[in-house]
């Protein structure tokens, strides 16, 4: 009888630990998904700079400033997205023949240590404009739990042409192994 009781307790503890890990993983992935959506909407003239900053800041620790956020855009210079209002954004979107199809692959979280995790993304930005180069944007997020929420403490990005061989893309490996993408989202 004692063996059955002990085995039951062990199974319950394992189920609870598994549930906590799944919950943490889902929270981390939600932070990354929301960040990816905001970044792509901003770079595709769908939200203003103020809307972008107001919504993005909550996902980052305090050591990540506005300039870092702005530098993740992939709109080429000299376009200054900081000063465009909603009506200007609407006009730009009307005039663009290069509306993009965007898909984002998101990796499982990889433990850095007990306090931090990495999540990798690979975005394919497929422009409908044949003159625009298609892009692959790879990112490495480093997340930590702060104030009982998962927050991004570091974010590194690389932008490559669509024809770049997979082996030459940055942020697609962890410990010399290809990252495992577990989720794909499409951004309108």
């Amino acid at each position: 009888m004692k063996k059955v009781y002990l085995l039951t307790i062990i199974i319950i503890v394992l189920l609870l630990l598994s549930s906590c890990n799944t919950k943490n993983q889902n929270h981390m992935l939600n932070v990354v998904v929301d960040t990816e959506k905001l970044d792509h909407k901003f770079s595709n003239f769908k939200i203003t700079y103020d809307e972008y900053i107001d919504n993005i800041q909550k996902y980052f620790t305090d050591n990540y400033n506005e300039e870092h956020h702005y530098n993740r855009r992939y709109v080429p210079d000299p376009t200054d997205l900081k000063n465009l209002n909603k009506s200007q954004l609407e006009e730009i979107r009307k005039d663009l023949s290069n509306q993009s199809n965007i898909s984002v692959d998101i990796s499982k979280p990889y433990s850095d240590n007990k306090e931090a995790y990495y999540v990798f993304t690979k975005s394919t930005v497929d422009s409908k404009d044949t003159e625009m180069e298609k892009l692959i944007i790879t990112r490495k997020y480093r997340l930590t739990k702060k104030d009982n929420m998962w927050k991004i403490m570091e974010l590194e990005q690389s932008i490559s042409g669509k024809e770049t061989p997979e082996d030459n893309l940055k942020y697609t490996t962890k410990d010399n192994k290809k990252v495992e993408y577990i989720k794909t989202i499409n951004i309108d």
Side-chain angles (χ1 to χ4, degrees), residues 14-185:
L14 289 174
L15 286 173
L16 285 173
L17 288 174
S18 172
S19 172
C20 289
N21 287 339
T22 301
K23 185 177 178 183
N24 279 329
Q25 176 176 312
N26 287 339
H27 286 184
M28 283 184 262
L29 293 179
N30 287 339
V31 166
V32 170
V33 165
D34 288 350
T35 301
E36 287 286 328
K37 285 179 179 178
L38 286 166
D39 280 357
H40 287 293
K41 285 181 178 182
F42 179 59
S43 287
N44 284 281
F45 308 102
K46 294 184 178 178
I47 58 175
T48 65
Y49 178 71
D50 290 338
E51 289 173 308
Y52 173 66
I53 291 299
D54 287 346
N55 286 295
I56 200 86
Q57 289 287 53
K58 66 185 170 194
Y59 297 115
F60 288 81
T61 59
D62 297 336
N63 67 341
Y64 209 81
N65 67 35
E66 283 189 33
E67 197 61 30
H68 287 107
H69 294 301
Y70 187 72
N71 289 335
R72 288 197 311 274
R73 79 200 183 295
Y74 48 89
V75 174
D77 287 330
T79 304
D80 183 4
L81 295 175
K82 288 182 181 180
N83 299 315
L84 298 175
N85 62 38
K86 282 186 181 262
S87 61
Q88 290 170 317
L89 292 175
E90 286 175 25
E91 283 301 312
I92 290 170
R93 280 197 316 271
K94 271 192 235 176
D95 291 341
L96 286 178
S97 59
N98 65 341
Q99 294 295 316
S100 300
N101 294 320
I102 303 164
S103 69
V104 183
D105 295 325
I106 302 165
S107 78
K108 67 179 185 179
Y110 289 87
S111 178
D112 181 32
N113 56 43
K114 298 227 184 247
E115 310 231 343
Y117 286 82
Y118 287 108
V119 175
F120 300 85
T121 63
K122 182 173 69 171
S123 300
T124 304
V125 181
D126 238 346
S127 174
K128 294 176 186 171
D129 184 343
T130 55
E131 293 179 20
M132 282 280 294
E133 182 181 7
K134 294 170 174 63
L135 302 174
I136 297 176
I137 302 167
T138 53
R139 293 182 174 153
K140 177 172 75 170
Y141 292 82
R142 188 165 186 238
L143 297 104
T144 189
K145 205 160 201 179
K146 183 176 180 185
D147 300 327
N148 209 25
M149 291 181 61
W150 285 100
K151 295 199 175 228
I152 301 163
M153 57 195 296
E154 291 175 38
L155 184 119
E156 296 177 49
Q157 170 177 289
S158 175
I159 298 177
S160 305
K162 179 88 170 33
E163 304 306 319
T164 304
E166 184 78 23
D167 290 342
N168 294 348
L169 296 174
K170 290 177 87 173
Y171 313 124
T172 58
T173 60
K174 174 76 171 115
D175 299 328
N176 295 320
K177 295 179 185 170
K178 292 212 176 281
V179 298
E180 180 183 342
Y181 297 106
I182 60 171
K183 182 174 190 160
T184 299
I185 61 168

